[in-house]
Amino acid sequence: MTRRTEWPGSDAEPAPDPGAGPDYGTGSGGGFGEGAGRRARSRSRSSGSPSSSRAEQGEPRDPVEQARSVCLRLLTGTPRTRKQLADALRKREIPDEAAEEVLSRFEDVGLIDDAAFADAWVESRHHGRGLARRALVRELRTKGVDSAVIDEAIGQLDSEQEEETARELVARKLRSTRGLDRDRRLRRLAGMLARKGYGEGVALRVVRQALEGEGEDTEGLDEPF
């Protein structure tokens, strides 16, 4: 069917184009004009305040509730120290009073226990990674554990156990150093122990014994490396 076209100046209104969408012009009669759009946006803004939007999303508005929610989420499946949680709350701009209230309450009910955290950390990092006491102390300090609590946790490791762990570490690494000269083997093995927090005396003694076991001449290796 042929569409009738009206030219400018004609009294008749142009015929609507079947392929065109609705008229979103600026006129006041249709209700879809610019003025109507502004009114609709204004009504939308006035009906949805930031607080109601947060409530719809399930975010607690009370600072104490916010702090409790953050702490519970961070503690899920992963123990954390009080300092770690306090830093997280500060980063989220939780007021100090609300943070202190929640953190103290969590300590009271045992959800925060720096002593238990330190004990578990020492057990896991020593037996799992072979870290010596010096390295463990350094790590626990960075996590905000009190010095007295650290000393108590570190006390579960004695010198004999620490040296035995050092021997196990060297035994696992020894094979990969075969073919190197004695001094390079010494530096590589002793350096590995040093990075894990072992003192120079322990490292030298353990490495010397391991090299002797492989027939290496260890004369002169009693001096500090």
Side-chain angles (χ1 to χ4, degrees):
M1 178 177 178
T2 304
R3 180 174 179 272
R4 180 184 174 187
T5 304
E6 296 292 339
W7 299 96
S10 170
D11 293 334
E13 294 183 359
D17 185 347
D23 182 7
Y24 294 102
T26 59
S28 60
F32 291 98
E34 183 178 349
R38 283 198 299 268
R39 289 193 297 272
R41 288 192 295 272
S42 177
R43 286 195 299 270
S44 175
R45 285 195 297 268
S46 63
S47 63
S49 64
S51 60
S52 64
S53 175
R54 286 195 301 267
E56 290 173 359
Q57 296 173 6
E59 180 181 340
R61 288 171 289 176
D62 179 68
V64 172
E65 290 299 322
Q66 286 182 308
R68 183 179 293 112
S69 176
V70 169
C71 289
L72 287 174
R73 185 167 65 250
L74 292 176
L75 287 169
T76 300
T78 305
R80 297 177 190 270
T81 65
R82 177 173 178 135
K83 182 181 184 299
Q84 287 178 303
L85 294 172
D87 289 345
L89 295 178
R90 192 175 299 112
K91 184 177 180 181
R92 290 164 174 78
E93 300 182 350
I94 303 295
D96 291 343
E97 296 81 2
E100 180 66 25
E101 178 180 340
V102 171
L103 293 173
S104 296
R105 177 57 179 163
F106 275 36
E107 277 189 328
D108 290 342
V109 299
L111 290 175
I112 300 175
D113 189 338
D114 282 4
F117 177 94
D119 287 343
W121 188 268
V122 169
E123 176 73 16
S124 172
R125 300 287 282 176
H126 178 73
H127 294 290
R129 298 286 303 278
L131 298 187
R133 286 174 293 183
R134 186 167 57 183
L136 294 168
V137 168
R138 185 168 57 246
E139 289 187 342
L140 288 171
R141 282 177 178 167
T142 64
K143 296 183 180 302
V145 179
D146 184 77
S147 295
V149 175
I150 293 176
D151 291 342
E152 185 72 22
I154 293 299
Q156 63 183 282
L157 292 178
D158 57 33
S159 299
E160 292 183 2
Q161 183 176 356
E162 190 175 64
E163 187 164 327
E164 179 60 31
T165 302
R167 288 195 184 93
E168 294 172 359
L169 291 170
V170 169
R172 291 201 295 265
K173 186 76 172 177
L174 193 63
R175 185 174 183 178
S176 66
T177 66
R178 289 171 185 163
L180 302 176
D181 63 66
R182 187 199 66 176
D183 290 344
R184 289 184 66 187
R185 298 184 80 184
L186 169 66
R187 288 193 298 270
R188 183 166 298 185
L189 295 170
M192 178 268 295
L193 291 179
R195 287 191 296 274
K196 291 182 179 292
Y198 291 89
E200 186 176 88
V202 172
L204 181 59
R205 181 167 60 253
V206 169
V207 172
R208 179 174 56 79
Q209 291 171 353
L211 293 179
E212 285 177 350
E214 292 212 332
E216 288 275 11
D217 179 10
T218 60
E219 184 179 355
L221 292 186
D222 291 328
E223 299 178 359
F225 56 89

